[in-house]
PDB file of all heavy atoms in Angstrom:
ATOM      1  N   HIS D   1      16.794   3.756   7.931  1.00  0.00           N
ATOM      2  CA  HIS D   1      16.355   5.151   8.074  1.00  0.00           C
ATOM      3  C   HIS D   1      17.156   6.126   7.224  1.00  0.00           C
ATOM      4  O   HIS D   1      16.638   7.173   6.855  1.00  0.00           O
ATOM      5  CB  HIS D   1      16.446   5.551   9.573  1.00  0.00           C
ATOM      6  CG  HIS D   1      15.423   4.873  10.428  1.00  0.00           C
ATOM      7  ND1 HIS D   1      14.139   5.337  10.550  1.00  0.00           N
ATOM      8  CD2 HIS D   1      15.490   3.731  11.174  1.00  0.00           C
ATOM      9  CE1 HIS D   1      13.458   4.523  11.373  1.00  0.00           C
ATOM     10  NE2 HIS D   1      14.256   3.540  11.727  1.00  0.00           N
ATOM     11  N   GLY D   2      18.375   5.771   6.908  1.00  0.00           N
ATOM     12  CA  GLY D   2      19.198   6.684   6.114  1.00  0.00           C
ATOM     13  C   GLY D   2      19.034   6.552   4.619  1.00  0.00           C
ATOM     14  O   GLY D   2      19.281   7.511   3.881  1.00  0.00           O
ATOM     15  N   ILE D   3      18.594   5.379   4.154  1.00  0.00           N
ATOM     16  CA  ILE D   3      18.489   5.152   2.712  1.00  0.00           C
ATOM     17  C   ILE D   3      17.073   4.718   2.323  1.00  0.00           C
ATOM     18  O   ILE D   3      16.376   5.391   1.572  1.00  0.00           O
ATOM     19  CB  ILE D   3      19.520   4.107   2.230  1.00  0.00           C
ATOM     20  CG1 ILE D   3      20.935   4.613   2.564  1.00  0.00           C
ATOM     21  CG2 ILE D   3      19.366   3.857   0.739  1.00  0.00           C
ATOM     22  CD1 ILE D   3      22.017   3.578   2.244  1.00  0.00           C
ATOM     23  N   ILE D   4      16.649   3.555   2.843  1.00  0.00           N
ATOM     24  CA  ILE D   4      15.418   2.924   2.370  1.00  0.00           C
ATOM     25  C   ILE D   4      14.183   3.772   2.628  1.00  0.00           C
ATOM     26  O   ILE D   4      13.375   3.984   1.717  1.00  0.00           O
ATOM     27  CB  ILE D   4      15.259   1.518   3.006  1.00  0.00           C
ATOM     28  CG1 ILE D   4      16.373   0.597   2.531  1.00  0.00           C
ATOM     29  CG2 ILE D   4      13.902   0.936   2.680  1.00  0.00           C
ATOM     30  CD1 ILE D   4      16.455  -0.736   3.247  1.00  0.00           C
ATOM     31  N   LEU D   5      14.031   4.289   3.854  1.00  0.00           N
ATOM     32  CA  LEU D   5      12.841   5.054   4.166  1.00  0.00           C
ATOM     33  C   LEU D   5      12.854   6.452   3.579  1.00  0.00           C
ATOM     34  O   LEU D   5      11.854   7.192   3.676  1.00  0.00           O
ATOM     35  CB  LEU D   5      12.653   5.129   5.704  1.00  0.00           C
ATOM     36  CG  LEU D   5      12.333   3.794   6.359  1.00  0.00           C
ATOM     37  CD1 LEU D   5      12.169   3.976   7.861  1.00  0.00           C
ATOM     38  CD2 LEU D   5      11.070   3.190   5.777  1.00  0.00           C
ATOM     39  N   ARG D   6      13.946   6.832   2.968  1.00  0.00           N
ATOM     40  CA  ARG D   6      13.996   8.116   2.266  1.00  0.00           C
ATOM     41  C   ARG D   6      13.640   7.949   0.783  1.00  0.00           C
ATOM     42  O   ARG D   6      13.120   8.872   0.155  1.00  0.00           O
ATOM     43  CB  ARG D   6      15.389   8.733   2.369  1.00  0.00           C
ATOM     44  CG  ARG D   6      15.747   9.145   3.789  1.00  0.00           C
ATOM     45  CD  ARG D   6      17.061   9.910   3.833  1.00  0.00           C
ATOM     46  NE  ARG D   6      17.396  10.308   5.187  1.00  0.00           N
ATOM     47  CZ  ARG D   6      18.425  11.100   5.489  1.00  0.00           C
ATOM     48  NH1 ARG D   6      19.188  11.598   4.505  1.00  0.00           N
ATOM     49  NH2 ARG D   6      18.689  11.410   6.745  1.00  0.00           N
ATOM     50  N   ARG D   7      13.901   6.771   0.236  1.00  0.00           N
ATOM     51  CA  ARG D   7      13.698   6.568  -1.205  1.00  0.00           C
ATOM     52  C   ARG D   7      12.452   5.728  -1.527  1.00  0.00           C
ATOM     53  O   ARG D   7      11.737   6.040  -2.468  1.00  0.00           O
ATOM     54  CB  ARG D   7      14.952   5.892  -1.779  1.00  0.00           C
ATOM     55  CG  ARG D   7      16.220   6.696  -1.641  1.00  0.00           C
ATOM     56  CD  ARG D   7      17.404   5.917  -2.189  1.00  0.00           C
ATOM     57  NE  ARG D   7      18.669   6.652  -2.090  1.00  0.00           N
ATOM     58  CZ  ARG D   7      19.849   6.160  -2.421  1.00  0.00           C
ATOM     59  NH1 ARG D   7      19.942   4.926  -2.890  1.00  0.00           N
ATOM     60  NH2 ARG D   7      20.938   6.898  -2.287  1.00  0.00           N
ATOM     61  N   ARG D   8      12.267   4.667  -0.778  1.00  0.00           N
ATOM     62  CA  ARG D   8      11.274   3.680  -1.188  1.00  0.00           C
ATOM     63  C   ARG D   8       9.808   4.140  -0.991  1.00  0.00           C
ATOM     64  O   ARG D   8       8.949   3.743  -1.811  1.00  0.00           O
ATOM     65  CB  ARG D   8      11.499   2.371  -0.420  1.00  0.00           C
ATOM     66  CG  ARG D   8      10.690   1.228  -0.980  1.00  0.00           C
ATOM     67  CD  ARG D   8      11.160  -0.102  -0.447  1.00  0.00           C
ATOM     68  NE  ARG D   8      10.377  -1.198  -0.983  1.00  0.00           N
ATOM     69  CZ  ARG D   8      10.558  -2.458  -0.637  1.00  0.00           C
ATOM     70  NH1 ARG D   8      11.502  -2.811   0.214  1.00  0.00           N
ATOM     71  NH2 ARG D   8       9.811  -3.418  -1.165  1.00  0.00           N
ATOM     72  N   PRO D   9       9.455   4.903   0.036  1.00  0.00           N
ATOM     73  CA  PRO D   9       8.048   5.248   0.217  1.00  0.00           C
ATOM     74  C   PRO D   9       7.378   5.908  -0.990  1.00  0.00           C
ATOM     75  O   PRO D   9       6.241   5.576  -1.339  1.00  0.00           O
ATOM     76  CB  PRO D   9       8.055   6.188   1.428  1.00  0.00           C
ATOM     77  CG  PRO D   9       9.223   5.713   2.234  1.00  0.00           C
ATOM     78  CD  PRO D   9      10.256   5.356   1.201  1.00  0.00           C
ATOM     79  N   ALA D  10       8.062   6.830  -1.648  1.00  0.00           N
ATOM     80  CA  ALA D  10       7.461   7.510  -2.790  1.00  0.00           C
ATOM     81  C   ALA D  10       7.208   6.555  -3.946  1.00  0.00           C
ATOM     82  O   ALA D  10       6.165   6.596  -4.614  1.00  0.00           O
ATOM     83  CB  ALA D  10       8.341   8.674  -3.249  1.00  0.00           C
ATOM     84  N   VAL D  11       8.178   5.653  -4.183  1.00  0.00           N
ATOM     85  CA  VAL D  11       8.038   4.654  -5.257  1.00  0.00           C
ATOM     86  C   VAL D  11       6.915   3.697  -4.930  1.00  0.00           C
ATOM     87  O   VAL D  11       6.052   3.393  -5.778  1.00  0.00           O
ATOM     88  CB  VAL D  11       9.361   3.892  -5.468  1.00  0.00           C
ATOM     89  CG1 VAL D  11       9.200   2.787  -6.481  1.00  0.00           C
ATOM     90  CG2 VAL D  11      10.472   4.866  -5.895  1.00  0.00           C
ATOM     91  N   SER D  12       6.900   3.178  -3.701  1.00  0.00           N
ATOM     92  CA  SER D  12       5.883   2.222  -3.296  1.00  0.00           C
ATOM     93  C   SER D  12       4.488   2.843  -3.281  1.00  0.00           C
ATOM     94  O   SER D  12       3.494   2.201  -3.599  1.00  0.00           O
ATOM     95  CB  SER D  12       6.214   1.643  -1.930  1.00  0.00           C
ATOM     96  OG  SER D  12       7.373   0.856  -1.983  1.00  0.00           O
ATOM     97  N   ALA D  13       4.418   4.137  -2.900  1.00  0.00           N
ATOM     98  CA  ALA D  13       3.089   4.794  -2.871  1.00  0.00           C
ATOM     99  C   ALA D  13       2.444   4.830  -4.251  1.00  0.00           C
ATOM    100  O   ALA D  13       1.252   4.638  -4.377  1.00  0.00           O
ATOM    101  CB  ALA D  13       3.238   6.232  -2.294  1.00  0.00           C
ATOM    102  N   LYS D  14       3.242   5.073  -5.269  1.00  0.00           N
ATOM    103  CA  LYS D  14       2.701   5.067  -6.637  1.00  0.00           C
ATOM    104  C   LYS D  14       2.161   3.687  -6.996  1.00  0.00           C
ATOM    105  O   LYS D  14       1.148   3.551  -7.694  1.00  0.00           O
ATOM    106  CB  LYS D  14       3.771   5.510  -7.629  1.00  0.00           C
ATOM    107  CG  LYS D  14       4.149   6.987  -7.503  1.00  0.00           C
ATOM    108  CD  LYS D  14       5.190   7.359  -8.549  1.00  0.00           C
ATOM    109  CE  LYS D  14       5.547   8.839  -8.435  1.00  0.00           C
ATOM    110  NZ  LYS D  14       6.601   9.220  -9.422  1.00  0.00           N
ATOM    111  N   LYS D  15       2.873   2.667  -6.546  1.00  0.00           N
ATOM    112  CA  LYS D  15       2.400   1.284  -6.831  1.00  0.00           C
ATOM    113  C   LYS D  15       1.096   1.029  -6.099  1.00  0.00           C
ATOM    114  O   LYS D  15       0.165   0.421  -6.662  1.00  0.00           O
ATOM    115  CB  LYS D  15       3.480   0.283  -6.439  1.00  0.00           C
ATOM    116  CG  LYS D  15       4.735   0.371  -7.274  1.00  0.00           C
ATOM    117  CD  LYS D  15       5.749  -0.683  -6.859  1.00  0.00           C
ATOM    118  CE  LYS D  15       7.000  -0.611  -7.751  1.00  0.00           C
ATOM    119  NZ  LYS D  15       7.985  -1.690  -7.407  1.00  0.00           N
ATOM    120  N   TYR D  16       1.007   1.432  -4.834  1.00  0.00           N
ATOM    121  CA  TYR D  16      -0.237   1.272  -4.092  1.00  0.00           C
ATOM    122  C   TYR D  16      -1.375   2.025  -4.763  1.00  0.00           C
ATOM    123  O   TYR D  16      -2.514   1.533  -4.835  1.00  0.00           O
ATOM    124  CB  TYR D  16      -0.069   1.746  -2.652  1.00  0.00           C
ATOM    125  CG  TYR D  16       0.520   0.707  -1.723  1.00  0.00           C
ATOM    126  CD1 TYR D  16       1.823   0.829  -1.252  1.00  0.00           C
ATOM    127  CD2 TYR D  16      -0.220  -0.377  -1.321  1.00  0.00           C
ATOM    128  CE1 TYR D  16       2.369  -0.109  -0.387  1.00  0.00           C
ATOM    129  CE2 TYR D  16       0.310  -1.346  -0.453  1.00  0.00           C
ATOM    130  CZ  TYR D  16       1.614  -1.191  -0.006  1.00  0.00           C
ATOM    131  OH  TYR D  16       2.151  -2.140   0.836  1.00  0.00           O
ATOM    132  N   GLN D  17      -1.110   3.209  -5.268  1.00  0.00           N
ATOM    133  CA  GLN D  17      -2.151   3.976  -5.934  1.00  0.00           C
ATOM    134  C   GLN D  17      -2.714   3.248  -7.129  1.00  0.00           C
ATOM    135  O   GLN D  17      -3.903   3.369  -7.461  1.00  0.00           O
ATOM    136  CB  GLN D  17      -1.597   5.339  -6.361  1.00  0.00           C
ATOM    137  CG  GLN D  17      -1.305   6.271  -5.185  1.00  0.00           C
ATOM    138  CD  GLN D  17      -0.397   7.434  -5.570  1.00  0.00           C
ATOM    139  OE1 GLN D  17      -0.156   7.708  -6.746  1.00  0.00           O
ATOM    140  NE2 GLN D  17       0.141   8.125  -4.560  1.00  0.00           N
ATOM    141  N   SER D  18      -1.908   2.431  -7.805  1.00  0.00           N
ATOM    142  CA  SER D  18      -2.370   1.722  -8.989  1.00  0.00           C
ATOM    143  C   SER D  18      -3.336   0.576  -8.671  1.00  0.00           C
ATOM    144  O   SER D  18      -4.042   0.106  -9.566  1.00  0.00           O
ATOM    145  CB  SER D  18      -1.181   1.181  -9.780  1.00  0.00           C
ATOM    146  OG  SER D  18      -0.541   0.090  -9.078  1.00  0.00           O
ATOM    147  N   ILE D  19      -3.373   0.118  -7.399  1.00  0.00           N
ATOM    148  CA  ILE D  19      -4.238  -1.000  -7.045  1.00  0.00           C
ATOM    149  C   ILE D  19      -5.233  -0.668  -5.941  1.00  0.00           C
ATOM    150  O   ILE D  19      -6.035  -1.503  -5.532  1.00  0.00           O
ATOM    151  CB  ILE D  19      -3.389  -2.233  -6.663  1.00  0.00           C
ATOM    152  CG1 ILE D  19      -2.448  -1.909  -5.464  1.00  0.00           C
ATOM    153  CG2 ILE D  19      -2.542  -2.691  -7.839  1.00  0.00           C
ATOM    154  CD1 ILE D  19      -2.893  -2.372  -4.137  1.00  0.00           C
ATOM    155  N   TRP D  20      -5.201   0.578  -5.444  1.00  0.00           N
ATOM    156  CA  TRP D  20      -6.054   0.972  -4.326  1.00  0.00           C
ATOM    157  C   TRP D  20      -7.520   0.930  -4.721  1.00  0.00           C
ATOM    158  O   TRP D  20      -7.908   1.335  -5.816  1.00  0.00           O
ATOM    159  CB  TRP D  20      -5.694   2.361  -3.851  1.00  0.00           C
ATOM    160  CG  TRP D  20      -5.908   2.648  -2.407  1.00  0.00           C
ATOM    161  CD1 TRP D  20      -6.884   3.388  -1.836  1.00  0.00           C
ATOM    162  CD2 TRP D  20      -5.050   2.179  -1.336  1.00  0.00           C
ATOM    163  NE1 TRP D  20      -6.712   3.439  -0.487  1.00  0.00           N
ATOM    164  CE2 TRP D  20      -5.611   2.702  -0.113  1.00  0.00           C
ATOM    165  CE3 TRP D  20      -3.915   1.407  -1.250  1.00  0.00           C
ATOM    166  CZ2 TRP D  20      -5.048   2.469   1.109  1.00  0.00           C
ATOM    167  CZ3 TRP D  20      -3.345   1.146  -0.024  1.00  0.00           C
ATOM    168  CH2 TRP D  20      -3.915   1.673   1.153  1.00  0.00           C
ATOM    169  N   LEU D  21      -8.367   0.409  -3.854  1.00  0.00           N
ATOM    170  CA  LEU D  21      -9.813   0.314  -4.104  1.00  0.00           C
ATOM    171  C   LEU D  21     -10.523   1.519  -3.495  1.00  0.00           C
ATOM    172  O   LEU D  21      -9.981   2.169  -2.594  1.00  0.00           O
ATOM    173  CB  LEU D  21     -10.366  -0.977  -3.484  1.00  0.00           C
ATOM    174  CG  LEU D  21      -9.816  -2.298  -4.048  1.00  0.00           C
ATOM    175  CD1 LEU D  21     -10.362  -3.466  -3.231  1.00  0.00           C
ATOM    176  CD2 LEU D  21     -10.167  -2.431  -5.501  1.00  0.00           C
ATOM    177  N   PRO D  22     -11.746   1.824  -3.924  1.00  0.00           N
ATOM    178  CA  PRO D  22     -12.479   2.925  -3.315  1.00  0.00           C
ATOM    179  C   PRO D  22     -12.650   2.751  -1.806  1.00  0.00           C
ATOM    180  O   PRO D  22     -12.693   3.708  -1.057  1.00  0.00           O
ATOM    181  CB  PRO D  22     -13.850   2.876  -4.022  1.00  0.00           C
ATOM    182  CG  PRO D  22     -13.554   2.232  -5.359  1.00  0.00           C
ATOM    183  CD  PRO D  22     -12.459   1.252  -5.092  1.00  0.00           C
ATOM    184  N   GLU D  23     -12.728   1.480  -1.357  1.00  0.00           N
ATOM    185  CA  GLU D  23     -12.900   1.188   0.072  1.00  0.00           C
ATOM    186  C   GLU D  23     -11.583   1.199   0.828  1.00  0.00           C
ATOM    187  O   GLU D  23     -11.584   1.143   2.051  1.00  0.00           O
ATOM    188  CB  GLU D  23     -13.580  -0.161   0.294  1.00  0.00           C
ATOM    189  CG  GLU D  23     -14.872  -0.347  -0.489  1.00  0.00           C
ATOM    190  CD  GLU D  23     -14.638  -1.125  -1.778  1.00  0.00           C
ATOM    191  OE1 GLU D  23     -13.739  -0.708  -2.592  1.00  0.00           O
ATOM    192  OE2 GLU D  23     -15.330  -2.115  -1.995  1.00  0.00           O
ATOM    193  N   GLY D  24     -10.461   1.221   0.072  1.00  0.00           N
ATOM    194  CA  GLY D  24      -9.150   1.228   0.732  1.00  0.00           C
ATOM    195  C   GLY D  24      -8.225   0.168   0.188  1.00  0.00           C
ATOM    196  O   GLY D  24      -8.350  -0.274  -0.947  1.00  0.00           O
ATOM    197  N   SER D  25      -7.271  -0.245   1.008  1.00  0.00           N
ATOM    198  CA  SER D  25      -6.292  -1.264   0.619  1.00  0.00           C
ATOM    199  C   SER D  25      -6.974  -2.575   0.294  1.00  0.00           C
ATOM    200  O   SER D  25      -7.775  -3.071   1.099  1.00  0.00           O
ATOM    201  CB  SER D  25      -5.295  -1.459   1.745  1.00  0.00           C
ATOM    202  OG  SER D  25      -4.572  -2.651   1.554  1.00  0.00           O
ATOM    203  N   PRO D  26      -6.692  -3.197  -0.843  1.00  0.00           N
ATOM    204  CA  PRO D  26      -7.310  -4.489  -1.170  1.00  0.00           C
ATOM    205  C   PRO D  26      -7.100  -5.538  -0.079  1.00  0.00           C
ATOM    206  O   PRO D  26      -8.017  -6.284   0.254  1.00  0.00           O
ATOM    207  CB  PRO D  26      -6.625  -4.898  -2.468  1.00  0.00           C
ATOM    208  CG  PRO D  26      -6.214  -3.613  -3.088  1.00  0.00           C
ATOM    209  CD  PRO D  26      -5.812  -2.716  -1.935  1.00  0.00           C
ATOM    210  N   LEU D  27      -5.903  -5.610   0.464  1.00  0.00           N
ATOM    211  CA  LEU D  27      -5.619  -6.627   1.497  1.00  0.00           C
ATOM    212  C   LEU D  27      -6.529  -6.443   2.689  1.00  0.00           C
ATOM    213  O   LEU D  27      -7.097  -7.409   3.228  1.00  0.00           O
ATOM    214  CB  LEU D  27      -4.144  -6.543   1.921  1.00  0.00           C
ATOM    215  CG  LEU D  27      -3.717  -7.612   2.944  1.00  0.00           C
ATOM    216  CD1 LEU D  27      -2.290  -8.115   2.644  1.00  0.00           C
ATOM    217  CD2 LEU D  27      -3.766  -7.046   4.365  1.00  0.00           C
ATOM    218  N   LEU D  28      -6.719  -5.212   3.122  1.00  0.00           N
ATOM    219  CA  LEU D  28      -7.569  -4.934   4.274  1.00  0.00           C
ATOM    220  C   LEU D  28      -9.032  -5.151   3.932  1.00  0.00           C
ATOM    221  O   LEU D  28      -9.789  -5.738   4.719  1.00  0.00           O
ATOM    222  CB  LEU D  28      -7.358  -3.499   4.765  1.00  0.00           C
ATOM    223  CG  LEU D  28      -8.104  -3.109   6.051  1.00  0.00           C
ATOM    224  CD1 LEU D  28      -7.747  -4.025   7.194  1.00  0.00           C
ATOM    225  CD2 LEU D  28      -7.786  -1.659   6.416  1.00  0.00           C
ATOM    226  N   VAL D  29      -9.438  -4.730   2.741  1.00  0.00           N
ATOM    227  CA  VAL D  29     -10.826  -4.898   2.325  1.00  0.00           C
ATOM    228  C   VAL D  29     -11.229  -6.364   2.282  1.00  0.00           C
ATOM    229  O   VAL D  29     -12.236  -6.775   2.867  1.00  0.00           O
ATOM    230  CB  VAL D  29     -11.045  -4.266   0.940  1.00  0.00           C
ATOM    231  CG1 VAL D  29     -12.433  -4.642   0.374  1.00  0.00           C
ATOM    232  CG2 VAL D  29     -10.942  -2.718   1.023  1.00  0.00           C
ATOM    233  N   TYR D  30     -10.406  -7.191   1.646  1.00  0.00           N
ATOM    234  CA  TYR D  30     -10.732  -8.607   1.533  1.00  0.00           C
ATOM    235  C   TYR D  30     -10.590  -9.346   2.858  1.00  0.00           C
ATOM    236  O   TYR D  30     -11.370 -10.244   3.171  1.00  0.00           O
ATOM    237  CB  TYR D  30      -9.889  -9.268   0.452  1.00  0.00           C
ATOM    238  CG  TYR D  30     -10.271  -8.862  -0.943  1.00  0.00           C
ATOM    239  CD1 TYR D  30      -9.341  -8.239  -1.786  1.00  0.00           C
ATOM    240  CD2 TYR D  30     -11.549  -9.063  -1.444  1.00  0.00           C
ATOM    241  CE1 TYR D  30      -9.682  -7.861  -3.068  1.00  0.00           C
ATOM    242  CE2 TYR D  30     -11.903  -8.670  -2.718  1.00  0.00           C
ATOM    243  CZ  TYR D  30     -10.962  -8.076  -3.546  1.00  0.00           C
ATOM    244  OH  TYR D  30     -11.297  -7.678  -4.807  1.00  0.00           O
ATOM    245  N   SER D  31      -9.622  -8.956   3.649  1.00  0.00           N
ATOM    246  CA  SER D  31      -9.437  -9.618   4.969  1.00  0.00           C
ATOM    247  C   SER D  31     -10.634  -9.307   5.858  1.00  0.00           C
ATOM    248  O   SER D  31     -11.091 -10.201   6.613  1.00  0.00           O
ATOM    249  CB  SER D  31      -8.153  -9.133   5.612  1.00  0.00           C
ATOM    250  OG  SER D  31      -7.025  -9.511   4.862  1.00  0.00           O
ATOM    251  N   ARG D  32     -11.155  -8.106   5.794  1.00  0.00           N
ATOM    252  CA  ARG D  32     -12.334  -7.768   6.582  1.00  0.00           C
ATOM    253  C   ARG D  32     -13.535  -8.595   6.145  1.00  0.00           C
ATOM    254  O   ARG D  32     -14.328  -9.100   6.966  1.00  0.00           O
ATOM    255  CB  ARG D  32     -12.657  -6.272   6.449  1.00  0.00           C
ATOM    256  CG  ARG D  32     -11.790  -5.380   7.312  1.00  0.00           C
ATOM    257  CD  ARG D  32     -12.054  -3.916   7.046  1.00  0.00           C
ATOM    258  NE  ARG D  32     -11.385  -3.060   8.017  1.00  0.00           N
ATOM    259  CZ  ARG D  32     -11.196  -1.769   7.839  1.00  0.00           C
ATOM    260  NH1 ARG D  32     -11.610  -1.164   6.710  1.00  0.00           N
ATOM    261  NH2 ARG D  32     -10.607  -1.040   8.749  1.00  0.00           N
ATOM    262  N   LYS D  33     -13.691  -8.761   4.833  1.00  0.00           N
ATOM    263  CA  LYS D  33     -14.788  -9.558   4.317  1.00  0.00           C
ATOM    264  C   LYS D  33     -14.666 -11.003   4.813  1.00  0.00           C
ATOM    265  O   LYS D  33     -15.662 -11.641   5.180  1.00  0.00           O
ATOM    266  CB  LYS D  33     -14.837  -9.515   2.799  1.00  0.00           C
ATOM    267  CG  LYS D  33     -15.271  -8.204   2.236  1.00  0.00           C
ATOM    268  CD  LYS D  33     -15.326  -8.224   0.715  1.00  0.00           C
ATOM    269  CE  LYS D  33     -15.819  -6.876   0.166  1.00  0.00           C
ATOM    270  NZ  LYS D  33     -15.866  -6.878  -1.347  1.00  0.00           N
ATOM    271  N   GLN D  34     -13.469 -11.515   4.838  1.00  0.00           N
ATOM    272  CA  GLN D  34     -13.254 -12.886   5.321  1.00  0.00           C
ATOM    273  C   GLN D  34     -13.672 -13.011   6.783  1.00  0.00           C
ATOM    274  O   GLN D  34     -14.330 -14.009   7.167  1.00  0.00           O
ATOM    275  CB  GLN D  34     -11.776 -13.273   5.166  1.00  0.00           C
ATOM    276  CG  GLN D  34     -11.336 -13.454   3.721  1.00  0.00           C
ATOM    277  CD  GLN D  34      -9.827 -13.539   3.579  1.00  0.00           C
ATOM    278  OE1 GLN D  34      -9.083 -13.561   4.565  1.00  0.00           O
ATOM    279  NE2 GLN D  34      -9.346 -13.568   2.332  1.00  0.00           N
ATOM    280  N   ALA D  35     -13.320 -12.021   7.593  1.00  0.00           N
ATOM    281  CA  ALA D  35     -13.686 -12.083   9.012  1.00  0.00           C
ATOM    282  C   ALA D  35     -15.187 -12.035   9.205  1.00  0.00           C
ATOM    283  O   ALA D  35     -15.744 -12.808  10.022  1.00  0.00           O
ATOM    284  CB  ALA D  35     -13.000 -10.934   9.773  1.00  0.00           C
TER     285      ALA D  35
END
């Protein structure tokens, strides 16, 4: 809470933005299709 959650979310969010699908998170999109 003092270091990681202050620094990492902004960096990780940019990475997620680079792979985000119109329907949402790829992992959730494909997992739903599998179900």
Side-chain angles (χ1 to χ4, degrees):
H1 290 276
I3 301 174
I4 295 172
L5 292 180
R6 293 187 180 188
R7 299 177 180 177
R8 192 167 180 182
V11 175
S12 294
K14 291 182 179 179
K15 294 182 178 183
Y16 275 108
Q17 290 163 14
S18 71
I19 58 100
W20 211 253
L21 298 174
E23 307 98 307
S25 164
L27 183 142
L28 184 57
V29 169
Y30 289 121
S31 296
R32 281 175 171 164
K33 288 181 179 180
Q34 290 167 6

